Amino acid sequence: MRRMTLADFQKMKDEGRPIAMVTAYDYASALIAEQAGVPAILVGDSLGMVMQGQDTTLPVRVEDMIYHARMVMRGSRKALVVVDLPFLSYATEQDAVDAARRVMQEGGGQALKLEGGREIAPIVRRLTAMGVPVMGHLGLTPQAQHQIGLRAQAKEVQAARKLLDDARALEEAGAFGIVLEVIPADLAALVSKEVRIPTIGIGAGAGCDGQVQVWHDVLGLFEGKSPRHAHRFAEIGAQMVGALSHYVKQVEEGSFPTKAQSVSMAPDILAALTAE
Ligand code: KIV
């Protein structure tokens, strides 16, 4: 089967079919997402935290996005792959074109995601005119966390009006979709009705046209609490720890490896060696 296109993505909204998107950051995760039938993958700059162990997404560089996008593209065949442009890489239109050129030519991926509303509309318009599909990102935009914090956004009337206006501006500028992160569910549902393009929610309720979740959250890879907007569909981290502890124990007690994992040698060759 061929890779999902922007037209297929739009068709899912038009036909009322919810879109499941998940982040992936390497070959193995992309392969697994593909096997699970995930229609859209985000190579998110959340990789700064979950793959690099940083406190925020801010240190992530264009080079990091290229490195991870390449691996994801090798593992995925059918999903639509969207790649984040990292912090400050699209400060001007020219910066955005330069970053887009590098991420798309060197990393692959079919589309880019940028955080921001009306203020980045000229950049979205320019990239779209150059043939670069752009996904917007509104609400809790982690690249602006030092300004807005990591809390729910657009809860007051003025901020909610602004978010609606931002969504319209992104659509007018040519964005093919918008991520809505941690905003009230009723507002997300309103935006989803207001714009024709698909909205993809994370902590934005069931009224969005699709959902996106972070790989490590949804699979329960890290011990402890996941963000409120995440649901742990499995506890893979605990399973991994269990499997590795078992491995350590068997090596230490000498029960691994067994003959099954070893290569044998003909007895006459061994005899000749030991006779020397
Ligand atoms: O970087 C990321 O993973 C994201 C999602 C949380 C939407 O932007």
Side-chain angles (χ1 to χ4, degrees), residues 85-92 95 143:
L85 278 194
F87 182 56
L88 288 184
S89 66
Y90 49 100
T92 66
D95 287 347
Q143 291 176 12

Side-chain angles (χ1 to χ4, degrees), residues 97-273:
V97 171
D98 292 342
R101 178 190 303 113
R102 292 208 54 206
V103 172
M104 294 196 70
Q105 288 188 333
E106 298 173 42
Q110 291 151 280
L112 302 176
K113 177 166 77 59
L114 277 62
E115 295 182 8
R118 186 169 284 284
E119 70 284 0
I120 65 155
I123 292 172
V124 175
R125 192 167 288 113
R126 175 87 185 273
L127 290 177
T128 307
M130 300 280 110
V132 179
V134 177
M135 177 172 258
H137 184 158
L138 296 173
L140 198 176
T141 46
Q143 291 176 12
Q145 68 172 268
H146 293 317
Q147 278 176 332
I148 64 172
L150 287 177
R151 64 179 82 88
Q153 299 293 310
K155 289 174 79 177
E156 308 300 334
V157 69
Q158 211 180 336
R161 278 208 188 104
K162 178 177 178 332
L163 191 133
L164 259 170
D165 176 65
D166 283 338
R168 288 191 199 106
L170 288 172
E171 179 171 47
E172 273 165 31
F176 75 91
I178 307 174
V179 166
L180 299 175
E181 182 162 353
V182 197
I183 63 168
D186 289 335
L187 175 61
L190 200 63
V191 173
S192 307
K193 286 207 187 81
E194 193 67 22
V195 296
R196 209 179 70 80
I197 55 178
T199 59
I200 306 294
I202 173 162
C208 297
D209 303 306
Q211 301 293 325
V212 59
Q213 289 277 297
V214 169
W215 182 264
H216 294 63
D217 292 340
V218 91
L219 293 175
L221 277 180
F222 292 147
E223 223 182 339
K225 266 180 72 180
S226 296
R228 181 164 169 236
H229 55 73
H231 178 71
R232 296 166 81 100
F233 286 82
E235 291 296 338
I236 305 293
Q239 283 190 37
M240 285 171 141
V241 172
L244 287 175
S245 314
H246 197 191
Y247 163 67
V248 170
K249 184 166 173 282
Q250 290 208 354
V251 170
E252 287 177 354
E253 71 188 17
S255 58
F256 176 87
T258 65
K259 272 197 168 165
Q261 291 92 28
S262 309
V263 178
S264 59
M265 183 183 250
D268 54 330
I269 298 188
L270 183 59
L273 271 178

